[in-house]
Amino acid sequence: MARTFLITGGAGFIGSHLADELIRTGHRVLVIDDLSTGQISNIDHLKGNPAFEYTIDSVMNRALLAELIDRADYVVHLAAAVGVKLIIESPVRTIETNVRGTEIVLETANKKKRPVLFASTSEVYGKASKIPFSEDDDLVLGSTTKGRWAYAASKALDEFLAIAYFHEKRLPVVVVRLFNTVGPRQTGRYGMVVPSFVRQALASKPITVYGDGTQSRCFGYVGDVVHVLPTLLSDRRAYGQVFNIGSQEEVTILELANRVKTRLKSQSEVVFVPYDEAYESGFEDMPRRVPDITKIQSLTGFEARTSLDEIIDRVADYYSTEATSLPGGWGDS
Ligand code: UDP
């Protein structure tokens, strides 16, 4: 049955892919996005579709948000300050956006008891060393004097609040922890590694590996991730629960740099940049980050189908064809 989904942050990387998926499967989509990190070009192709509507505004606009939530059956809350670089550069904005925004979305959705899916992040596991990370594991965050942990702490607080709304107010909520989601439309502007490496490789510029490149990640394809979100949000068994979502194909960042270089037949050299230079002095990176996805698999049959090589190809296609026409598409770092 056709449903109406409100996507906060719907002009962003993940939000716009989710809008595509929902429209493709016959649903209606309302988007609210303040374009702080989202881009109108991500949803340009949906304009004019009768099943799609968008509003350029912030979720902090309570009256407008209430009106949109009233018209929606489900709320997917993706609007947030994202990316480690952005977090370090604008810590006040990160904390305020992530905490206040989620507070307002939950409070407003609760008035109409609309189910909410809240997008959290694998960052919340922090420096935990048990691999893979399971939803019930301890979260191990660094000192409050180290800027990067503000992102994890803000998202963890949002998770607490979402789960508190479920228990105390009976608001249906689902929390997902997304692990390094990548694909077309993700910008390298906020430091994300896959778009950064692909763009560097395409432009024959040095591929910048931070630290010694032994740190590893699992890159999940955005199409696989957004495919499972509506299923979760409409399943009562998921309410009040936390789910990891991502791929389990682990790769070191140095391997990633070499894979991108080889795959794109690039002349770029791979260079090492100390963390202090890349981020801030005393920056703490996470050495490994692998999700345990048993929980989402058993509830929904989720699979990360898209391999890293396919991901690299699709991101490269995107940058070869579309990004040249985007504002700041090639010019930024
Ligand atoms: N990274 C890198 N070069 C870049 C950007 C990122 O080596 O140009 C590294 C970063 O230090 C981290 C990994 O790639 O170890 C993933 O970074 P990203 O910001 O994409 O996501 P994170 O896992 O930090 O949330």
CSV table of all heavy atoms in Angstrom, one decimal, residues 52-101:
chain,number,residue,atom,x,y,z
A,52,PHE,N,6.3,13.4,-5.1
A,52,PHE,CA,7.4,14.0,-4.4
A,52,PHE,C,7.2,15.5,-4.2
A,52,PHE,O,6.7,16.2,-5.0
A,52,PHE,CB,8.7,13.8,-5.3
A,52,PHE,CG,9.9,14.4,-4.7
A,52,PHE,CD1,10.6,13.7,-3.7
A,52,PHE,CD2,10.4,15.6,-5.1
A,52,PHE,CE1,11.8,14.3,-3.1
A,52,PHE,CE2,11.6,16.2,-4.6
A,52,PHE,CZ,12.2,15.5,-3.6
A,53,GLU,N,7.6,15.8,-2.9
A,53,GLU,CA,7.5,17.3,-2.6
A,53,GLU,C,8.7,17.6,-1.7
A,53,GLU,O,9.1,16.8,-0.9
A,53,GLU,CB,6.3,17.4,-1.6
A,53,GLU,CG,5.1,18.2,-2.2
A,53,GLU,CD,4.0,18.3,-1.2
A,53,GLU,OE1,4.1,19.0,-0.2
A,53,GLU,OE2,3.0,17.5,-1.4
A,54,TYR,N,9.2,18.8,-1.8
A,54,TYR,CA,10.3,19.1,-0.9
A,54,TYR,C,10.2,20.6,-0.4
A,54,TYR,O,9.5,21.4,-1.1
A,54,TYR,CB,11.7,19.0,-1.6
A,54,TYR,CG,11.9,20.0,-2.7
A,54,TYR,CD1,12.7,21.1,-2.4
A,54,TYR,CD2,11.4,19.9,-4.0
A,54,TYR,CE1,13.0,22.1,-3.4
A,54,TYR,CE2,11.6,20.8,-4.9
A,54,TYR,CZ,12.4,21.9,-4.6
A,54,TYR,OH,12.7,22.9,-5.6
A,55,THR,N,10.7,20.8,0.8
A,55,THR,CA,10.7,22.1,1.4
A,55,THR,C,12.1,22.4,1.8
A,55,THR,O,12.7,21.5,2.5
A,55,THR,CB,9.8,22.1,2.6
A,55,THR,OG1,8.5,21.6,2.2
A,55,THR,CG2,9.6,23.5,3.2
A,56,ILE,N,12.6,23.5,1.5
A,56,ILE,CA,14.0,23.9,1.9
A,56,ILE,C,13.8,24.7,3.2
A,56,ILE,O,13.4,25.8,3.3
A,56,ILE,CB,14.7,24.8,0.9
A,56,ILE,CG1,14.7,24.2,-0.5
A,56,ILE,CG2,16.1,25.2,1.4
A,56,ILE,CD1,15.3,22.9,-0.6
A,57,ASP,N,14.1,24.0,4.3
A,57,ASP,CA,14.0,24.6,5.6
A,57,ASP,C,14.6,23.7,6.7
A,57,ASP,O,15.0,22.5,6.3
A,57,ASP,CB,12.5,24.9,6.0
A,57,ASP,CG,12.3,26.1,6.9
A,57,ASP,OD1,13.2,26.3,7.8
A,57,ASP,OD2,11.4,26.8,6.7
A,58,SER,N,14.7,24.1,7.9
A,58,SER,CA,15.4,23.3,8.9
A,58,SER,C,14.3,22.6,9.8
A,58,SER,O,13.2,23.1,9.9
A,58,SER,CB,16.2,24.3,9.8
A,58,SER,OG,16.4,23.7,11.0
A,59,VAL,N,14.7,21.5,10.3
A,59,VAL,CA,13.8,20.8,11.2
A,59,VAL,C,13.5,21.6,12.5
A,59,VAL,O,12.6,21.3,13.3
A,59,VAL,CB,14.3,19.4,11.6
A,59,VAL,CG1,14.3,18.5,10.4
A,59,VAL,CG2,15.6,19.4,12.3
A,60,MET,N,14.4,22.6,12.7
A,60,MET,CA,14.2,23.5,13.9
A,60,MET,C,12.9,24.4,13.7
A,60,MET,O,12.5,25.0,14.6
A,60,MET,CB,15.4,24.4,14.1
A,60,MET,CG,16.7,23.8,14.0
A,60,MET,SD,17.2,22.9,15.5
A,60,MET,CE,18.8,22.4,15.1
A,61,ASN,N,12.4,24.5,12.5
A,61,ASN,CA,11.2,25.2,12.2
A,61,ASN,C,10.0,24.3,12.7
A,61,ASN,O,9.5,23.5,11.9
A,61,ASN,CB,11.1,25.5,10.7
A,61,ASN,CG,9.8,26.3,10.4
A,61,ASN,OD1,8.8,26.4,11.2
A,61,ASN,ND2,9.8,27.0,9.3
A,62,ARG,N,9.6,24.4,13.9
A,62,ARG,CA,8.7,23.5,14.5
A,62,ARG,C,7.3,23.4,13.9
A,62,ARG,O,6.7,22.4,13.7
A,62,ARG,CB,8.5,23.8,16.0
A,62,ARG,CG,9.6,23.4,16.9
A,62,ARG,CD,9.3,24.0,18.3
A,62,ARG,NE,10.5,23.8,19.2
A,62,ARG,CZ,10.6,22.8,20.0
A,62,ARG,NH1,9.7,21.9,20.0
A,62,ARG,NH2,11.7,22.7,20.7
A,63,ALA,N,6.8,24.6,13.5
A,63,ALA,CA,5.5,24.7,12.9
A,63,ALA,C,5.5,24.0,11.6
A,63,ALA,O,4.5,23.1,11.3
A,63,ALA,CB,5.1,26.1,12.8
A,64,LEU,N,6.4,24.2,10.8
A,64,LEU,CA,6.5,23.5,9.5
A,64,LEU,C,6.7,22.0,9.7
A,64,LEU,O,6.0,21.2,9.0
A,64,LEU,CB,7.7,24.1,8.7
A,64,LEU,CG,7.9,23.4,7.4
A,64,LEU,CD1,6.8,23.7,6.4
A,64,LEU,CD2,9.2,23.9,6.8
A,65,LEU,N,7.6,21.7,10.6
A,65,LEU,CA,7.8,20.2,10.8
A,65,LEU,C,6.5,19.5,11.2
A,65,LEU,O,6.2,18.4,10.8
A,65,LEU,CB,8.9,20.0,11.8
A,65,LEU,CG,9.3,18.6,12.1
A,65,LEU,CD1,10.2,18.1,10.9
A,65,LEU,CD2,10.1,18.5,13.4
A,66,ALA,N,5.8,20.2,12.1
A,66,ALA,CA,4.6,19.6,12.6
A,66,ALA,C,3.6,19.4,11.5
A,66,ALA,O,2.9,18.3,11.4
A,66,ALA,CB,4.0,20.5,13.7
A,67,GLU,N,3.5,20.3,10.6
A,67,GLU,CA,2.6,20.2,9.4
A,67,GLU,C,3.0,19.0,8.6
A,67,GLU,O,2.2,18.2,8.1
A,67,GLU,CB,2.7,21.5,8.7
A,67,GLU,CG,1.6,21.9,7.8
A,67,GLU,CD,1.9,23.2,7.1
A,67,GLU,OE1,2.1,24.2,7.8
A,67,GLU,OE2,1.9,23.1,5.8
A,68,LEU,N,4.3,18.9,8.3
A,68,LEU,CA,4.8,17.8,7.4
A,68,LEU,C,4.6,16.4,8.1
A,68,LEU,O,4.1,15.5,7.5
A,68,LEU,CB,6.3,18.0,7.1
A,68,LEU,CG,6.6,19.2,6.2
A,68,LEU,CD1,8.1,19.5,6.1
A,68,LEU,CD2,6.0,18.9,4.8
A,69,ILE,N,4.9,16.4,9.4
A,69,ILE,CA,4.7,15.1,10.1
A,69,ILE,C,3.2,14.7,10.1
A,69,ILE,O,2.9,13.5,10.0
A,69,ILE,CB,5.3,15.2,11.6
A,69,ILE,CG1,6.8,15.2,11.5
A,69,ILE,CG2,4.7,14.1,12.5
A,69,ILE,CD1,7.5,15.2,12.8
A,70,ASP,N,2.4,15.7,10.2
A,70,ASP,CA,0.9,15.5,10.2
A,70,ASP,C,0.5,14.8,8.9
A,70,ASP,O,-0.4,13.9,8.9
A,70,ASP,CB,0.2,16.8,10.4
A,70,ASP,CG,-1.2,16.6,10.8
A,70,ASP,OD1,-1.5,15.6,11.4
A,70,ASP,OD2,-2.0,17.5,10.4
A,71,ARG,N,1.2,15.1,7.8
A,71,ARG,CA,0.8,14.6,6.5
A,71,ARG,C,1.5,13.3,6.2
A,71,ARG,O,1.2,12.6,5.2
A,71,ARG,CB,1.2,15.6,5.4
A,71,ARG,CG,0.3,16.9,5.5
A,71,ARG,CD,0.8,17.9,4.5
A,71,ARG,NE,1.0,17.3,3.2
A,71,ARG,CZ,1.8,17.7,2.2
A,71,ARG,NH1,2.6,18.8,2.5
A,71,ARG,NH2,1.8,17.2,1.1
A,72,ALA,N,2.4,12.9,7.1
A,72,ALA,CA,3.2,11.7,6.8
A,72,ALA,C,2.7,10.5,7.6
A,72,ALA,O,2.2,10.6,8.7
A,72,ALA,CB,4.7,11.9,7.1
A,73,ASP,N,3.0,9.3,7.1
A,73,ASP,CA,2.7,8.0,7.8
A,73,ASP,C,3.9,7.6,8.6
A,73,ASP,O,3.8,7.0,9.7
A,73,ASP,CB,2.3,6.9,6.9
A,73,ASP,CG,1.1,7.2,6.1
A,73,ASP,OD1,0.0,7.4,6.7
A,73,ASP,OD2,1.2,7.2,4.9
A,74,TYR,N,5.1,7.9,8.1
A,74,TYR,CA,6.4,7.6,8.7
A,74,TYR,C,7.4,8.7,8.6
A,74,TYR,O,7.3,9.5,7.6
A,74,TYR,CB,7.0,6.4,8.0
A,74,TYR,CG,6.2,5.1,8.0
A,74,TYR,CD1,5.5,4.6,6.9
A,74,TYR,CD2,6.2,4.3,9.2
A,74,TYR,CE1,4.8,3.5,7.0
A,74,TYR,CE2,5.4,3.2,9.3
A,74,TYR,CZ,4.7,2.7,8.1
A,74,TYR,OH,4.0,1.6,8.2
A,75,VAL,N,8.3,8.8,9.6
A,75,VAL,CA,9.3,9.8,9.5
A,75,VAL,C,10.7,9.1,9.5
A,75,VAL,O,11.0,8.2,10.3
A,75,VAL,CB,9.2,10.7,10.8
A,75,VAL,CG1,10.3,11.8,10.8
A,75,VAL,CG2,7.8,11.3,10.9
A,76,VAL,N,11.5,9.5,8.6
A,76,VAL,CA,12.9,9.0,8.6
A,76,VAL,C,13.8,10.2,8.9
A,76,VAL,O,13.9,11.2,8.1
A,76,VAL,CB,13.3,8.4,7.2
A,76,VAL,CG1,14.7,7.9,7.3
A,76,VAL,CG2,12.4,7.3,6.9
A,77,HIS,N,14.5,10.2,10.0
A,77,HIS,CA,15.2,11.4,10.4
A,77,HIS,C,16.7,11.2,10.1
A,77,HIS,O,17.5,10.5,10.8
A,77,HIS,CB,15.0,11.6,12.0
A,77,HIS,CG,15.8,12.8,12.5
A,77,HIS,ND1,15.9,14.0,11.8
A,77,HIS,CD2,16.5,12.9,13.6
A,77,HIS,CE1,16.6,14.8,12.5
A,77,HIS,NE2,17.0,14.2,13.6
A,78,LEU,N,17.1,11.8,9.0
A,78,LEU,CA,18.5,11.7,8.6
A,78,LEU,C,19.2,13.1,8.7
A,78,LEU,O,20.4,13.1,8.5
A,78,LEU,CB,18.5,11.3,7.1
A,78,LEU,CG,18.0,10.0,6.7
A,78,LEU,CD1,17.9,9.8,5.2
A,78,LEU,CD2,18.8,8.8,7.3
A,79,ALA,N,18.4,14.2,8.9
A,79,ALA,CA,19.1,15.5,8.9
A,79,ALA,C,20.1,15.5,10.1
A,79,ALA,O,19.7,15.3,11.3
A,79,ALA,CB,18.0,16.6,9.1
A,80,ALA,N,21.3,15.8,9.8
A,80,ALA,CA,22.4,15.8,10.8
A,80,ALA,C,23.6,16.5,10.3
A,80,ALA,O,23.8,16.6,9.1
A,80,ALA,CB,22.7,14.4,11.3
A,81,ALA,N,24.5,16.9,11.2
A,81,ALA,CA,25.8,17.3,10.7
A,81,ALA,C,26.7,16.1,10.7
A,81,ALA,O,26.8,15.3,11.6
A,81,ALA,CB,26.4,18.3,11.8
A,82,VAL,N,27.2,15.8,9.5
A,82,VAL,CA,27.9,14.5,9.3
A,82,VAL,C,29.4,14.8,8.8
A,82,VAL,O,29.7,15.8,8.2
A,82,VAL,CB,27.2,13.6,8.3
A,82,VAL,CG1,25.9,13.1,8.8
A,82,VAL,CG2,27.0,14.4,7.0
A,83,GLY,N,30.2,13.8,9.1
A,83,GLY,CA,31.5,13.8,8.6
A,83,GLY,C,32.5,14.3,9.6
A,83,GLY,O,32.3,15.3,10.2
A,84,VAL,N,33.6,13.5,9.8
A,84,VAL,CA,34.5,13.8,10.9
A,84,VAL,C,35.2,15.2,10.7
A,84,VAL,O,35.3,16.0,11.6
A,84,VAL,CB,35.6,12.7,10.9
A,84,VAL,CG1,36.7,13.1,11.9
A,84,VAL,CG2,35.0,11.4,11.3
A,85,LYS,N,35.5,15.6,9.4
A,85,LYS,CA,36.1,16.9,9.2
A,85,LYS,C,35.2,18.0,9.6
A,85,LYS,O,35.6,19.0,10.3
A,85,LYS,CB,36.4,17.1,7.7
A,85,LYS,CG,37.8,16.5,7.3
A,85,LYS,CD,38.5,17.5,6.4
A,85,LYS,CE,40.0,17.1,6.4
A,85,LYS,NZ,40.4,16.4,5.2
A,86,LEU,N,33.9,17.9,9.2
A,86,LEU,CA,32.9,19.0,9.6
A,86,LEU,C,32.8,19.1,11.1
A,86,LEU,O,32.7,20.2,11.6
A,86,LEU,CB,31.6,18.6,8.9
A,86,LEU,CG,30.4,19.6,9.2
A,86,LEU,CD1,30.8,21.0,8.5
A,86,LEU,CD2,29.1,19.1,8.6
A,87,ILE,N,32.8,18.0,11.7
A,87,ILE,CA,32.6,17.9,13.2
A,87,ILE,C,33.8,18.6,13.9
A,87,ILE,O,33.6,19.4,14.9
A,87,ILE,CB,32.6,16.4,13.6
A,87,ILE,CG1,31.1,16.0,13.7
A,87,ILE,CG2,33.2,16.2,15.0
A,87,ILE,CD1,30.5,15.8,12.4
A,88,ILE,N,35.0,18.4,13.4
A,88,ILE,CA,36.1,19.1,14.0
A,88,ILE,C,36.2,20.6,13.7
A,88,ILE,O,36.5,21.4,14.6
A,88,ILE,CB,37.4,18.3,13.5
A,88,ILE,CG1,37.4,17.0,14.2
A,88,ILE,CG2,38.7,19.1,13.8
A,88,ILE,CD1,38.5,16.0,13.7
A,89,GLU,N,35.7,20.9,12.5
A,89,GLU,CA,35.7,22.3,12.1
A,89,GLU,C,34.6,23.1,12.8
A,89,GLU,O,34.8,24.3,13.2
A,89,GLU,CB,35.6,22.5,10.6
A,89,GLU,CG,36.9,22.2,9.9
A,89,GLU,CD,36.7,21.9,8.4
A,89,GLU,OE1,35.7,22.2,7.8
A,89,GLU,OE2,37.7,21.3,7.9
A,90,SER,N,33.4,22.5,12.9
A,90,SER,CA,32.3,23.3,13.5
A,90,SER,C,31.6,22.5,14.6
A,90,SER,O,30.5,22.0,14.5
A,90,SER,CB,31.2,23.5,12.4
A,90,SER,OG,31.8,23.9,11.2
A,91,PRO,N,32.3,22.3,15.7
A,91,PRO,CA,31.8,21.5,16.8
A,91,PRO,C,30.5,22.0,17.4
A,91,PRO,O,29.6,21.2,17.7
A,91,PRO,CB,32.9,21.5,17.9
A,91,PRO,CG,33.8,22.6,17.5
A,91,PRO,CD,33.7,22.9,16.1
A,92,VAL,N,30.3,23.3,17.5
A,92,VAL,CA,29.1,23.8,18.1
A,92,VAL,C,27.9,23.5,17.2
A,92,VAL,O,26.8,22.9,17.7
A,92,VAL,CB,29.1,25.3,18.4
A,92,VAL,CG1,27.8,25.9,18.8
A,92,VAL,CG2,30.2,25.7,19.4
A,93,ARG,N,28.1,23.7,16.0
A,93,ARG,CA,27.0,23.4,15.0
A,93,ARG,C,26.7,21.9,15.0
A,93,ARG,O,25.5,21.5,15.0
A,93,ARG,CB,27.5,23.8,13.6
A,93,ARG,CG,26.5,23.5,12.5
A,93,ARG,CD,26.9,24.2,11.2
A,93,ARG,NE,26.5,23.3,10.1
A,93,ARG,CZ,27.1,23.3,9.0
A,93,ARG,NH1,28.2,23.9,8.8
A,93,ARG,NH2,26.6,22.5,8.0
A,94,THR,N,27.7,21.1,15.1
A,94,THR,CA,27.4,19.6,15.1
A,94,THR,C,26.6,19.2,16.3
A,94,THR,O,25.6,18.5,16.1
A,94,THR,CB,28.8,18.9,15.2
A,94,THR,OG1,29.6,19.3,14.2
A,94,THR,CG2,28.5,17.4,15.2
A,95,ILE,N,27.0,19.7,17.4
A,95,ILE,CA,26.3,19.2,18.6
A,95,ILE,C,24.9,19.8,18.6
A,95,ILE,O,23.9,19.0,18.9
A,95,ILE,CB,27.1,19.6,19.9
A,95,ILE,CG1,28.5,19.0,19.9
A,95,ILE,CG2,26.4,19.3,21.2
A,95,ILE,CD1,29.5,19.5,20.9
A,96,GLU,N,24.8,21.0,18.3
A,96,GLU,CA,23.4,21.6,18.4
A,96,GLU,C,22.5,21.0,17.3
A,96,GLU,O,21.4,20.7,17.6
A,96,GLU,CB,23.5,23.2,18.2
A,96,GLU,CG,24.1,23.8,19.4
A,96,GLU,CD,24.1,25.3,19.4
A,96,GLU,OE1,23.8,25.9,18.3
A,96,GLU,OE2,24.4,25.9,20.4
A,97,THR,N,23.0,20.9,16.1
A,97,THR,CA,22.2,20.3,15.0
A,97,THR,C,21.7,18.9,15.4
A,97,THR,O,20.6,18.6,15.3
A,97,THR,CB,23.0,20.2,13.7
A,97,THR,OG1,23.5,21.5,13.4
A,97,THR,CG2,22.1,19.7,12.6
A,98,ASN,N,22.7,18.1,15.9
A,98,ASN,CA,22.3,16.7,16.1
A,98,ASN,C,21.5,16.5,17.3
A,98,ASN,O,20.6,15.7,17.3
A,98,ASN,CB,23.6,15.9,16.2
A,98,ASN,CG,24.3,15.8,14.9
A,98,ASN,OD1,23.9,16.4,13.9
A,98,ASN,ND2,25.4,15.1,14.8
A,99,VAL,N,21.7,17.3,18.4
A,99,VAL,CA,20.9,17.1,19.6
A,99,VAL,C,19.6,17.8,19.5
A,99,VAL,O,18.5,17.2,19.7
A,99,VAL,CB,21.7,17.5,20.8
A,99,VAL,CG1,20.9,17.4,22.1
A,99,VAL,CG2,23.0,16.7,21.0
A,100,ARG,N,19.6,19.1,19.2
A,100,ARG,CA,18.4,19.8,19.1
A,100,ARG,C,17.4,19.3,18.0
A,100,ARG,O,16.2,19.2,18.2
A,100,ARG,CB,18.7,21.3,19.0
A,100,ARG,CG,17.6,22.2,19.5
A,100,ARG,CD,17.9,23.6,19.4
A,100,ARG,NE,19.0,24.0,20.3
A,100,ARG,CZ,19.8,25.1,20.2
A,100,ARG,NH1,19.6,25.9,19.1
A,100,ARG,NH2,20.7,25.4,21.0
A,101,GLY,N,18.0,19.1,16.9
A,101,GLY,CA,17.2,18.6,15.7
A,101,GLY,C,16.4,17.3,16.1
A,101,GLY,O,15.2,17.2,15.8
